[in-house]
Amino acid sequence: QEGPHSSSVATRPSPSVTTPVPADHDDHSYSNLSEIRVRHADLDWEVLFDRRILRGSAILTLVRPPGGRATHLVLDTRDLDVEKVESSRDTATWVPAVFSVGTADKILGSPLSITLPEDATRVRIFYATRPQASGLQWLDPPQTAGKKQPFLFTQSEAIHARSWIPLQDSPQVRITYRARVRTPKNLMAVMSANNDPKAARDGDYEFEMPQPIPSYLIALAVGDLSFAPISPRAGVWAEPPVVGKAAREFADLESMIRAAEELFGPYRWDRYDVLVLPPSFPFGGMENPRLTFATPTVLAGDKSLVALVAHELAHSWAGNLVTNATWRDFWLNEGFTVYIERRIVERVFGRRRAEMEAVLGLQDLEKEIAALPDKDEALHIDLRGRDPDDGFTDVPYEKGALFLRHLEQTFGRETFDRFLRGYFDHFAFQSITTEDFLRYLHANLLDANRELAARVPVEEWVEKPGIPVSAPRPSSEAFARVEAEASRWLGGKVPASSLPASGWSTQEWLHFLRALPASLPREKMAELDFTFHLTDSGNSEITNQWLLMAIANGYEPAYPRLEQFLVSMGRRKFLKSLYEELVKTPEGKTRALAIYRKARPTYHPIAVATVDKIVGWQG
Ligand code: BES
Ligand code: ZN
């Protein structure tokens, strides 16, 4: 069978990703990292909802390498209004510092160059953000669940922290931080730090993150938030109308944390809470330390989509503890995380469910690889001159996870688990490159057993396009049964009403829908819809899959739901797939533009950037 999985990589040109990246270098930061580094930030903001700006100051604590005398500090910024910069050697006296903001690059923003005395240990920047800051979304009350209060949230990964904090915005710089945030009195602020559920709601909040983290994990949300505990160290934050449902959906949080701890060592971040955001949150989840941010579209009502929380929790080891040093090493964050996510799902929800998710993941990967250029199919991707968001494909996620699964299956679970646990301990609180990982892999796994090592084409996995032929093939018996049912129904042997679908999980439903041919006769679409009410499904993943089919088959009864889905949530994964499907025909493109015209003002800047490209938005 011919497909990306079996395609020969030898005949393809290999991508030009072999040039070594010097240490202390990051293509996506202007910082002079080898001369001077930030190691702590003291942040102070006022949240001005009426003007959509965050105004305040950032005091950065600086360290130079031994003997270093740097008098020049370059920070990353994007769309910041810098008012004044000062430096200090003792934090008691502050002197004005000369600074300049360079011209804006579309991807990187503007360097902020500051001249300092060679013994200055602090720099203080007074600044304000702009309403269009790419890392902030300001919501009017109608865009929230409660409809009465405004809402603000940040999204810093990959390089959006610079749009709300002037800093060295590179994942190889780890900092601790403290923050003071002033908000309107009735609102609550939470951060990727120590959140106190019992803090008085007086509009004045203080935070501390004592563990060094990369800038992309700095996060803030402000809104009408309440808290519900799940266990002594875990709970959920959400708007009052959502918090109960969220607490029920995530009732297994503590079991998931324990499962991860049993596998990979203690959870090192103190509390683990999940913040459920308003529906415009552009991602499924974001692993902000101590406080995962999550889309409300995960709340299916039956816990069927909680692998997403297992994923963000897994980042507490892969990503937050051991971090990609540059965005070309992104697979070290996401591939390891997907692998761990499935191990958590297996322990808490069973092997059957974990395998189904692995199969769905492989399907996503194969579909993605069929569409991607070769150079974007390597785990170790070249992102020079590109937006790191371009690297956000299923390759780092699913190909990365499959590579680890290949190692696991080759060396055995016990050996591989010991290896992984050692890896997290060895590199804890460090940012590492793909080369660092490969050196560690050789020294601690491959070199000890050359015979087994020979079965895993490591260099092919990491540097080459496609999926190695020797890759594992996750499979699910439950899915095989679903496929058989799908063909019986397609072949007209049974009506939809006799499908054993009442016992199907969300994953089986997704597989069933994906197993159907791209083009389905209208009666078949209508029969499914009549029997299973797919157009009215409250499960966002099933809705997304069904609407893709509705678009492809011109199934009009689902169009109102399509429009409603697209205007009511802003999760980029769903927007991307649905708008992409729509623009495939001229008629669909017209509809896409009509819907987008209404929805665009409610989408997050990151989602807007993606959809603008898909629909060719010109305003
Ligand atoms: N860290 C990512 C989200 C991210 C990556 C944001 C790169 C910006 C740039 C997060 O952990 C993630 O992978 N989220 C997924 C969900 C997951 C279940 C695969 C998402 O949002 O789709
Ligand atoms: Zn992730």
Side-chain angles (χ1 to χ4, degrees):
Q1 146 215 7
E2 195 51 49
H5 206 79
S6 56
S7 66
S8 156
V9 290
T11 55
R12 298 189 187 185
S14 82
S16 59
V17 291
T18 44
T19 341
V21 179
D24 290 347
H25 180 81
D26 182 340
D27 288 320
H28 295 103
S29 172
Y30 287 111
S31 325
N32 49 334
L33 298 178
S34 58
E35 292 168 1
I36 189 162
R37 286 187 177 227
V38 177
R39 68 146 197 243
H40 176 80
D42 285 289
L43 307 161
D44 190 330
W45 301 294
E46 253 182 286
V47 183
L48 305 176
F49 277 101
D50 50 342
R51 295 166 60 196
R52 300 194 155 192
I53 67 176
L54 215 55
R55 187 177 62 198
S57 62
I59 300 175
L60 308 178
T61 305
L62 309 167
V63 280
R64 296 171 181 76
R69 294 151 164 253
T71 55
H72 191 68
L73 169 70
V74 185
L75 300 175
D76 295 296
T77 72
R78 190 209 308 279
D79 296 332
L80 294 184
D81 288 315
V82 179
E83 199 182 304
K84 181 168 76 169
V85 180
E86 298 171 336
S87 76
S88 174
R89 47 173 69 103
D90 54 11
T91 73
T93 44
W94 294 88
V95 295
V98 173
F99 70 94
S100 70
V101 178
T103 48
D105 176 87
K106 217 173 159 310
I107 297 169
L108 302 179
S110 305
L112 167 60
S113 306
I114 302 169
T115 305
L116 305 161
E118 69 174 48
D119 58 350
T121 60
R122 303 281 194 291
V123 61
R124 176 158 73 181
I125 302 138
F126 293 89
Y127 72 101
T129 62
R130 299 217 185 124
Q132 75 271 23
S134 61
L136 302 179
Q137 192 178 15
W138 299 87
L139 303 180
D140 289 326
Q143 285 181 270
T144 66
K147 313 281 179 207
K148 293 210 175 72
Q149 300 291 346
F151 202 103
L152 164 69
F153 66 87
T154 66
Q155 168 57 43
S156 296
E157 193 178 15
I159 55 171
H160 302 286
R162 65 189 65 180
S163 75
W164 63 288
I165 314 175
L167 38 58
Q168 293 180 321
D169 196 9
S170 167
Q172 61 195 271
V173 178
R174 308 183 79 93
I175 64 170
T176 53
Y177 76 82
R178 283 172 182 269
R180 177 166 182 196
V181 184
R182 265 153 296 191
T183 72
K185 268 206 160 33
N186 43 358
L187 299 185
M188 180 73 197
V190 289
M191 290 194 79
S192 54
N194 66 326
N195 295 294
D196 176 7
K198 295 193 192 79
R201 285 172 176 249
D202 55 3
D204 190 350
Y205 304 98
E206 286 187 35
F207 303 93
E208 182 181 10
M209 170 41 86
Q211 288 127 324
I213 58 166
S215 53
Y216 76 87
L217 294 176
I218 306 177
L220 166 71
V222 179
D224 182 11
L225 292 173
S226 52
F227 176 81
I230 286 171
S231 76
R233 61 170 164 176
V236 290
W237 289 92
E239 287 187 76
V242 178
V243 77
K245 183 172 189 193
R248 287 191 292 281
E249 201 84 27
F250 303 146
D252 297 308
L253 211 45
E254 179 62 31
S255 320
M256 293 199 272
I257 303 171
R258 292 211 180 139
E261 288 186 311
E262 280 160 27
L263 290 166
F264 304 113
Y267 177 75
R268 305 194 200 208
W269 303 89
D270 193 23
R271 292 196 58 88
Y272 181 77
D273 296 321
V274 179
L275 167 66
V276 179
L277 289 143
S280 66
F281 183 60
F283 295 102
M286 177 65 214
E287 67 270 27
N288 298 314
R290 299 181 181 209
L291 185 64
T292 280
F293 282 21
T295 171
T297 63
V298 68
L299 305 176
D302 60 1
K303 302 180 177 176
S304 63
L305 304 178
V306 297
L308 187 146
V309 174
H311 177 96
E312 305 313 333
L313 171 66
H315 274 304
S316 306
W317 287 263
N320 299 6
L321 195 58
V322 181
T323 307
N324 52 209
T326 76
W327 296 110
R328 68 178 316 201
D329 308 305
F330 183 54
W331 77 277
L332 294 179
N333 279 14
E334 298 300 342
F336 278 64
T337 293
V338 171
Y339 174 81
I340 297 175
E341 164 200 334
R342 304 238 161 92
R343 296 292 302 276
I344 297 172
V345 168
E346 180 180 323
R347 271 180 112 92
V348 179
F349 300 99
R351 188 166 167 81
R352 199 180 116 94
R353 165 102 164 252
E355 285 306 287
M356 291 195 275
E357 293 191 340
V359 175
L360 292 171
L362 180 59
Q363 290 168 2
D364 291 334
L365 178 62
E366 290 182 327
K367 200 169 157 210
E368 182 101 272
I369 279 185
L372 278 178
D374 278 5
K375 67 178 176 42
D376 291 347
E377 294 175 15
L379 290 175
H380 196 210
I381 186 183
D382 189 353
L383 287 168
R384 275 174 294 190
R386 300 172 69 183
D387 189 327
D389 279 357
D390 290 359
F392 191 120
T393 70
D394 285 309
V395 170
Y397 286 78
E398 294 293 343
K399 184 174 169 182
L402 202 60
F403 172 36
L404 298 189
R405 185 174 165 128
H406 199 188
L407 291 168
E408 178 210 303
Q409 292 187 348
T410 307
F411 288 87
R413 228 181 215 195
E414 210 180 307
T415 305
F416 189 62
D417 284 356
R418 213 177 317 117
F419 164 79
L420 266 190
R421 196 177 169 138
Y423 164 79
F424 291 126
D425 287 340
H426 183 80
F427 290 116
F429 296 106
Q430 295 182 45
S431 302
I432 68 167
T433 61
T434 298
E435 292 83 355
D436 293 327
F437 166 69
L438 290 176
R439 261 192 303 277
Y440 186 87
L441 176 70
H442 277 280
N444 295 281
L445 189 70
L446 304 181
D447 294 352
N449 195 331
R450 297 287 168 97
E451 213 174 296
L452 293 179
R455 298 187 199 161
V456 185
V458 173
E459 134 95 16
E460 185 186 340
W461 272 110
V462 175
E463 304 287 356
K464 300 280 160 57
I467 304 170
V469 263
S470 55
R473 270 258 158 211
S475 76
S476 152
E477 280 170 32
F479 278 6
R481 281 192 294 277
V482 165
E483 282 161 43
E485 297 294 346
S487 21
R488 269 155 40 90
W489 173 70
L490 272 173
K493 299 203 178 67
V494 293
S497 56
S498 342
L499 288 169
S502 61
W504 284 351
S505 61
T506 295
Q507 288 69 29
E508 284 161 301
W509 263 112
L510 291 173
H511 188 66
F512 175 78
L513 296 176
R514 290 179 180 194
L516 299 175
S519 132
L520 265 190
R522 192 193 158 88
E523 324 76 78
K524 286 286 194 198
M525 288 292 292
E527 187 192 355
L528 282 184
D529 202 10
F530 178 79
T531 315
F532 303 113
H533 311 290
L534 292 165
T535 298
D536 300 323
S537 168
N539 184 301
S540 59
E541 292 285 351
I542 292 177
T543 300
N544 181 57
Q545 195 64 43
W546 173 247
L547 292 175
L548 288 172
M549 293 169 58
I551 299 167
N553 291 290
Y555 178 65
E556 283 163 24
Y559 288 4
R561 173 70 178 127
L562 171 65
E563 169 155 353
Q564 192 240 338
F565 193 56
L566 289 173
V567 302
S568 64
M569 63 87 222
R571 183 171 172 187
R572 188 174 69 165
K573 170 176 114 162
F574 295 149
L575 300 181
K576 183 169 183 282
S577 65
L578 291 166
Y579 281 107
E580 273 173 355
E581 192 64 42
L582 275 169
V583 301
K584 284 181 182 168
T585 66
E587 180 269 319
K589 182 157 180 179
T590 308
R591 240 151 20 87
L593 283 165
I595 297 172
Y596 190 43
R597 191 172 300 281
K598 285 187 225 166
R600 193 173 182 275
T602 69
Y603 291 165
H604 188 284
I606 294 173
V608 166
T610 301
V611 183
D612 275 0
K613 272 191 226 155
I614 296 171
V615 304
W617 181 257
Q618 324 226 277

